[in-house]
Amino acid sequence: MNLLSIAYKSIKQRALSSSLTSLSVALGVMLMVTVLVIHGIIDRMFSQQTIGYELIVGRKGSGLQLVLNTVYRLKQPIENLPYLYYLELKNDPRVEDAVPFALGDFTKEGGFPIIGTVSDYFVLDYAPDHKFKIRGSGFRDSFDAIIGSEVARENGWRVDDPNTPENEASTFKLVHGGAESDHEHDEVFTVRGVMQKTGTPNDKTVFIHLNGFYAIAGHDRPPNETLTKLKAFYTEGIPGRPDLDQTDPETLKPKPGEHIHGMEDWQKEVTAVLVNCKRPPDWPADAASPQLGDFEAEFKRGFKAQAVNPIVPMRELMQDIVGNIRKVLVVMTGLIIIVSGVSIFVSIYNSMSDRRREIAVMRALGAQRRTVFSIILAESLLLCVGGGVVGVLMGHGLVFAVAPYVAAQSGLLIDPFAFEPMELSVLPGLIVLASLVGIVPGLTAYRTDVAKALAE
Amino acid sequence: MSLLLERVEKSYREPDGTPLPILDIENFQLGDAEQVALVGESGGGKTTLLNVISGISTPDSGRVVIDGVEINALPEVARDRFRAERIGFVFQTFNLLAAFSALENVLLGMSFGGGKADRVRALELLDRVGLSKRASHRPGQLSVGEQQRVAVARALANRPSLLLADEPTASVDIANQENILTLIREACLADNVSLLLVTHSPDIASRFGRVARLDEINRVAQTTAAAGGPA
Ligand SMILES: Nc1ncnc2c1ncn2[C@@H]1O[C@H](COP(=O)(O)OP(=O)(O)OP(=O)(O)O)[C@@H](O)[C@H]1O
Ligand SMILES: [Mg+2]
């Protein structure tokens, strides 16, 4: 019989206390694995957003808020940019792509965020080397919409299908400011595209044509206020519109009861512009374009707008908040595991006084000191590592069990089989713990006075 | 097998630190396949003597020579191995490890000797002690007499040349005493194993061709007897 099977039998002899102490290790490891896996999922979700465009240009302010708005659709209060500014960027010779992004209302059903944009957005990658796949015709008209897969699933919306003409495309209306608000817009939008699942916030977003967006936005924007803001933005003159420089905003004040329809370009605003710089034809796809640095620096000097590399604030956020939360959780679960290690210690150590006689008998049969030491150490290892293996399985089981639920609630795409490389360090960690835990009772066994213990 | 003790002295310490002499044996010998009953007063040092012979304890001075090997001079690791390979042990009670079945207890006796655990031989031994049907029973599921018989099987597992038995029959009823004693003696004869068996029973001692009285070979006993016997 080898040491492990001897140790295993001894553990079985104390089945209740052994399984309880192992279970405590298992629970600690389960929590740690769950934390690691969930964190990994969030981490990937935040970092996979970073390709598709190099810069997000928005109003000067918090770069993080701009990113949260643009990429994560978390509606943070930020100021907008004039549409004229978007046109300037679009015509800048250094700029390859400039995609306008206007974040506004919500769908009445489900409260999904609405983004006004143009077809170009769907040409950009949504993740490294991942292109949007859209079923349906896409934007053809101002009141067309392309919806994320979650929106389609949750609201039961669909595009029209030539094979089943009786199933018409879904239509919907928007509400202002939040789903609870009852300010409903009259305009009816038609679903003309459903995205395939991307595992990004796009899945929970409704994209409408920018023109349709402005058709709605116009209702709430008195031109006099817009002009005042525009003048504040362009302190050195509104580009291409000297006439507006001369206009007193007060003269544009709407008369009571007047309803505004249609907007001129100067009245329009965007939340952000997604920008890719031009790059030489042979420039590597995954390297920043050569002009990016210049471009960013130029924005830094300016007053009104900022350009944010979406990677940077997200990295900071990950490190500052999410990273720290993970650190705290990992430390906490680590402590749980250590506490369960202590309970294994107590369990083995308490059993030692009952086992003096057994150890002495083994020694009388010719077992070496180091053999009885190893048997005790092996017991500790079996309890810790056995508990750990069960805990890893339980952790993945937990992720597997909650994945559909969390996915439905949060829109995070959770791979139920997700695995974190850091989990691999759990096992060596447990081996170290088991060795520490086993050493003292092991030494007790090692030092047993055989003649004395046999006489007891 | 030959066993030779020469001028073996062993003393313990009293709690206050003064030495408490237990053994002072000028000469004691045991021949090949010889069977000897060791008798003596309780507390006289019989168990201590067995421990010294088996290398569990070392004498303070003198020599313990088994088959030409002076085992008291061996380092502990070598003494342990020597004991595992050459010496079988049967105690009065609690011989067996509670977590292991009868068969596993016998196998355990083999595994510390460095040799292969021989299942066939282990089962054969259990059969010899009449317990082939109890092989998978745990000690808790065996009577005391049966446990002693498993202990005998285990003591013989490594084909020892010397068997040390410390009152192996003291905890069982008369019928079983008879049974176990016969078992041990016949097994030793069959396997050519020398036997040193401690007993308090004059009846059992009388069956042996040679009875060693500890108070006769142990000078400590003689001095304490002169001083009025052990406390
Ligand atoms: N570790 C020890 N420390 C101190 N004294 C000890 C120790 N072990 C045994 N003794 C003492 O040594 C003496 C001999 O003990 P031993 O167990 O050898 O006697 P024994 O002849 O086997 O007695 P019994 O017939 O009762 O089993 C006893 O007085 C005992 O109290
Ligand atoms: Mg004794």
Side-chain angles (χ1 to χ4, degrees), chain B residues 45-61:
Chain B
K46 302 181 293 296
T47 301
T48 306
L49 176 60
L50 294 196
N51 287 342
V52 165
I53 293 172
S54 69
I56 286 174
S57 311
T58 47
D60 301 333
S61 61

Side-chain angles (χ1 to χ4, degrees), chain B residues 87-175:
Chain B
I87 299 175
F89 248 117
V90 181
F91 307 105
Q92 179 180 339
T93 49
F94 301 116
N95 276 288
L96 304 182
L97 300 174
F100 302 85
S101 70
L103 176 64
E104 286 163 350
N105 264 283
V106 177
L107 290 170
L108 209 57
M110 296 173 172
S111 61
F112 296 129
K116 270 224 157 12
D118 182 347
R119 259 184 103 80
V120 176
R121 173 163 168 81
L123 284 166
E124 235 172 62
L125 285 165
L126 284 176
D127 193 36
R128 238 162 97 182
V129 301
L131 287 176
S132 51
K133 294 208 173 67
R134 298 275 191 279
S136 56
H137 286 223
R138 303 272 200 86
Q141 301 164 315
L142 297 172
S143 74
V144 177
E146 286 169 332
Q147 291 181 32
Q148 290 305 86
R149 286 192 269 159
V150 175
V152 172
R154 186 182 62 188
L156 297 170
N158 283 341
R159 302 180 194 280
S161 47
L162 171 63
L163 196 141
L164 302 172
D166 199 349
E167 303 181 48
T169 60
S171 300
V172 296
D173 58 70
I174 308 274

